[in-house]
Amino acid sequence: MEILAKRLLELRSERDLSRRVVAASTGMTERTYQRYENAERDPSAPVLLALADYYGVTTDYLLGRTDEPK
């Protein structure tokens, strides 16, 4: 999912975070998170919720259903 990958990269970059930090904070490996950012893999619903919670945005925002992060 291209929009999800784009939004994850933007959110992480805006906060000046490494993939390693985000991955560890959300309970996944760095490689798994990298696959989400590169649109090589789509996260499960629980992982999507964890990412939205971590970044403080809605799942709709991550999925491109809205342009408003909250």
Side-chain angles (χ1 to χ4, degrees), residues 17-58:
L17 298 168
S18 70
R19 285 185 180 127
R20 179 175 291 142
V21 168
V22 176
S25 298
T26 54
M28 66 184 82
T29 67
E30 184 178 354
R31 179 68 179 127
T32 297
Y33 184 80
Q34 181 180 2
R35 286 180 176 135
Y36 298 146
E37 272 194 6
N38 291 335
E40 296 170 2
R41 183 175 175 184
D42 291 329
S44 64
V47 171
L48 187 63
L49 288 170
L51 290 168
D53 287 346
Y54 179 78
Y55 285 120
V57 298
T58 65

Side-chain angles (χ1 to χ4, degrees), residues 1-8 11 41-45 47-49 51-52 57-69:
M1 195 175 298
E2 291 295 322
I3 189 71
L4 173 65
K6 179 182 174 196
R7 296 237 165 123
L8 289 174
L11 289 165
R41 183 175 175 184
D42 291 329
S44 64
V47 171
L48 187 63
L49 288 170
L51 290 168
V57 298
T58 65
T59 55
D60 280 347
Y61 177 75
L62 288 179
L63 296 172
R65 296 183 60 176
T66 182
D67 291 332
E68 296 297 319

